[in-house]
Amino acid sequence: MTFGEQVDEPTSHAIMDRAVERGINFLDTAEMYSVPPRPETCGATETIIGNWLQKRPGLRQKLVLATKVAGPSRGMPWIRQGTGMTPVDIVASCDASLKRLKTDVIDLYQIHWPERHVPAFGSMVYDPTKETTVTPILEQLQTLGDLVRQGKVRHIGLSNETPYGVHEFVRLAEAHGLPRVATIQNVYCLINRTYENALDETCHRLNVSFIPYSPLGFGQLTGKYDASGFDGPGAPANGRIARYERVRGQRWGRADALAASRRYNALARAHGLTPTQLALAFCYDNWRVASTIIGVTTVAQLDEDLDAWGTKLSPELLAEIDRIRWEMRDPAV
């Protein structure tokens, strides 16, 4: 999601070349990327990936390519008009993504956020009075099933979902002979472990794989904001939280999230690890996690993230992580 906003196309191609060189075979994007979302860059990330694939014949068959259909526009009318996500919307979005990605099929097509009202993106409380649903889950699932039957999509997934949503998609798929969701993509990191509150059991029992995003907490868990904060002297100019005021106003920019990050980063250093190693090892070696989605802006960042693979955290260190977690109470939710 950094490609097309923080990262130009040549650098994006170099990052993906390096990823493939080092064994990465899973690329995840979305129709609304890059971020922060704006009409000028909507679809830019898919276009950059499509251009990269077009210049590398034969590579597409070696990759798992994932993208997402946006949920209701939520103040982004350039994605679609209206408040819902109708079958026509889903099909149009899929066709547009296929065109931008320059591919005949999407390996994993995900609903970016629920069509119905849910507490998400910093909200914790469900409020039934805010319900604005237009397209029932069954209708969404039937439309995704049509895309699978037409060969445009191989597998389907969810993102930013709740235990209820996962259960309902699976229940309806089994009841109506429709494609079963293969994955869920929600946030998961040291400063946001809300996935562990029932959703992990749901996915485990229903055999839905978890592919978490933001394992580095929008960069806070790399330690780069420890000394300066988000906007103090020396703050990294290209970091998402430092660069975009809109991001600072959301869950990641909260003062308590930075305070918790500083504690985890100090813990890492005290145990001879870099903050990045601690944060990624927490996800990489976690029974809940099938594959971790990392976002980078440079080849050097990519190498650092991949070099953390294989780092093992001792039971004692995991216990210290849990102690900080309960003292800080998941600040970035």
Side-chain angles (χ1 to χ4, degrees), residues 28-211:
D28 174 78
T29 185
E31 66 170 331
M32 67 167 282
Y33 292 164
S34 52
V35 294
R38 53 193 181 98
E40 295 83 4
T41 58
C42 185
T45 307
E46 287 185 328
T47 298
I48 288 171
I49 294 173
N51 292 342
W52 175 74
L53 287 170
Q54 189 178 47
K55 294 176 181 178
R56 289 152 181 82
L59 183 58
R60 172 66 185 92
Q61 290 69 35
K62 300 176 182 179
L63 299 174
V64 178
L65 186 58
T67 192
K68 311 178 197 75
V69 51
S73 63
R74 293 187 178 180
M76 295 178 284
W78 56 87
I79 295 178
R80 70 173 60 92
Q81 298 295 324
T83 58
M85 186 177 61
T86 67
V88 171
D89 293 329
I90 295 172
V91 172
S93 289
C94 181
D95 287 344
S97 288
L98 287 166
K99 183 176 180 180
R100 286 189 292 265
L101 289 166
K102 295 181 172 62
T103 187
D104 295 327
V105 61
I106 296 164
D107 297 306
L108 177 64
Y109 198 46
Q110 306 151 100
I111 295 176
H112 205 154
W113 57 85
E115 188 272 350
R116 68 194 189 281
H117 164 69
V118 297
F121 305 113
S123 174
M124 285 290 291
V125 180
Y126 173 68
D127 183 355
T129 66
K130 294 182 179 179
E131 187 58 73
T132 57
T133 227
V134 173
T135 308
I137 287 177
L138 178 57
E139 201 169 330
Q140 298 170 49
L141 193 54
Q142 288 170 330
T143 306
L144 293 171
D146 289 341
L147 294 174
V148 172
R149 282 189 292 274
Q150 293 165 14
K152 296 179 179 180
V153 170
R154 288 198 172 102
H155 304 281
I156 64 171
L158 304 171
S159 183
N160 299 300
E161 258 295 359
T162 68
Y164 165 80
V166 175
H167 268 280
E168 192 67 357
F169 269 94
V170 170
R171 182 186 73 81
L172 290 169
E174 293 177 346
H176 296 272
L178 294 166
R180 204 176 187 277
V181 293
T183 61
I184 178 173
Q185 181 181 155
N186 279 32
V187 64
Y188 188 58
C189 62
L190 289 172
I191 56 174
N192 189 330
R193 293 170 61 178
T194 51
Y195 178 80
E196 296 175 8
N197 185 19
L199 190 51
D200 55 352
E201 180 189 7
T202 293
C203 292
H204 174 69
R205 294 190 182 278
L206 296 180
N207 194 30
V208 174
S209 294
F210 182 38
I211 49 174

Side-chain angles (χ1 to χ4, degrees), residues 266-329:
L267 178 66
R269 297 182 185 105
H271 285 263
L273 301 171
T274 67
T276 298
Q277 285 176 314
L278 179 73
L280 292 179
F282 175 77
C283 290
Y284 285 169
D285 199 33
N286 193 305
W287 68 264
R288 299 170 179 85
V289 175
S291 182
T292 303
I293 295 171
I294 53 175
V296 302
T297 57
T298 66
V299 172
Q301 284 183 355
L302 174 67
D303 282 334
E304 181 183 9
D305 291 352
L306 298 184
D307 288 345
W309 179 259
T311 302
K312 301 292 183 181
L313 305 182
S314 68
E316 294 77 17
L317 183 48
L318 289 169
E320 291 188 59
I321 287 172
D322 283 343
R323 178 175 56 81
I324 294 174
R325 186 262 180 103
W326 290 115
E327 290 175 358
M328 303 302 290
R329 300 293 181 183

